[in-house]
Amino acid sequence: MKNTTEHTRTELIEGLFPDAPSAFVDRLSQPGRQKLYAAEELIFAQGAAVDGIHLIIDGVARLQIERGVGVDWARSGDWLGLVDLIGNRPHKHNARVHSPELDSCYLEKESFFDLVAGFPQIGLPILQRLTSDIHRVEDRLTDWKGAGVSDRLESMFISLRKRFGLDSEGFIRIHLNPGQMADWIGANRTTVYRRLKSLEELGRIEFQQSRVRLLQSPEPKGEYG
């Protein structure tokens, strides 16, 4: 597994918090806080006590509930377990590495609250972003209520495009196979595969080796029924 140098890792943290004082970056850059994970490795499990949280420095994590239905993806700059930490409850989801590898900064519960208290100019935006992320997931689930698989897939693609952006070839910058898509939208894998083929035939998407490129934006829709 690739192990970033201390200098490179500090640069990545500075990129996540460009306006943070050096003392804040130094706290997060301490070598003992670094946690490295390989693809598909479990970061924490549903029901486990929250002793601390992970700040993703580099990589992508997949959040899913126990029965395998995906909830969301977390990327660089996201805090894994923060909602549960603040809610003083066990982890509600499993967190598993989605990218080839993941580099995180681990903060024990006390260390995180000390960090927020010591740097309120950074702590407040962290909590504001957390609230925004919660609303984003809630809004998405509301939009999907009663929607068909094709509508949910297209909504998912738009959400991922906004969140991760596009690569140099115009594909959404996160690789997903039909099974992972099915987990996220709560559908059968075979059904998702058929809907993907249908969307390709309609010229709405291009699906290539777990990569998706949107060729046509979904038409405006009214309420789902």
Side-chain angles (χ1 to χ4, degrees):
M1 182 187 301
K2 178 179 65 177
N3 191 353
T4 55
T5 65
E6 184 175 343
H7 178 70
T8 301
R9 200 159 184 274
T10 299
E11 289 181 337
L12 290 172
I13 294 172
E14 289 175 340
L16 295 176
F17 305 99
D19 300 321
S22 58
F24 178 87
V25 175
D26 290 343
R27 292 272 290 274
L28 296 181
S29 302
Q30 294 174 5
R33 298 196 185 282
Q34 184 179 30
K35 301 288 184 181
L36 298 174
Y37 298 90
E40 295 302 321
E41 188 173 352
L42 187 68
I43 301 172
F44 57 74
Q46 180 190 26
V50 183
D51 298 318
I53 58 175
H54 292 264
L55 166 65
I56 299 180
I57 304 301
D58 191 22
V60 178
R62 187 172 66 249
L63 310 181
Q64 56 192 146
I65 61 178
E66 190 174 11
R67 64 176 181 269
V69 179
V71 176
D72 208 349
W73 280 273
R75 60 177 181 173
S76 300
D78 286 338
W79 299 83
L80 293 178
L82 184 52
V83 174
D84 299 325
L85 177 68
I86 292 176
N88 192 29
R89 63 192 183 201
H91 287 296
K92 291 184 65 179
H93 311 103
N94 295 324
R96 195 174 296 278
V97 178
H98 186 80
S99 50
E101 54 195 21
L102 184 140
D103 183 350
S104 78
C105 171
Y106 182 75
L107 289 169
E108 300 83 0
K109 186 185 303 184
E110 295 77 11
S111 297
F112 172 74
F113 287 125
D114 286 345
L115 188 72
V116 171
F119 301 92
Q121 72 274 35
I122 306 298
L124 181 58
I126 288 174
L127 298 179
Q128 289 174 333
R129 177 173 177 176
L130 171 67
T131 302
S132 175
D133 287 346
I134 292 173
H135 286 312
R136 172 174 55 80
V137 174
E138 290 176 343
D139 290 344
R140 187 191 72 225
L141 295 177
T142 299
D143 289 342
W144 287 0
K145 186 177 181 180
V149 173
S150 293
D151 288 339
R152 278 181 277 163
L153 278 171
E154 290 191 295
S155 175
M156 178 188 73
F157 295 146
I158 292 173
S159 174
L160 294 176
R161 182 178 61 184
K162 289 179 180 178
R163 187 156 175 73
F164 292 94
L166 305 177
D167 64 17
S168 59
E169 298 177 82
F171 287 89
I172 296 172
R173 194 178 284 120
I174 182 172
H175 290 199
L176 298 172
N177 60 44
Q180 291 163 342
M181 294 180 193
D183 282 345
W184 200 41
I185 68 173
N188 178 275
R189 178 175 180 171
T190 301
T191 301
V192 166
Y193 184 78
R194 290 173 178 167
R195 293 294 185 273
L196 288 172
K197 298 299 290 184
S198 176
L199 289 172
E200 278 192 298
E201 291 171 357
L202 291 171
R204 302 183 79 86
I205 67 168
E206 179 182 353
F207 187 62
Q208 178 187 112
Q209 296 180 334
S210 298
R211 300 195 304 164
V212 177
R213 177 159 51 194
L214 303 187
L215 303 177
Q216 180 182 350
S217 298
E219 298 174 0
K221 297 180 176 64
E223 293 185 1
Y224 296 119

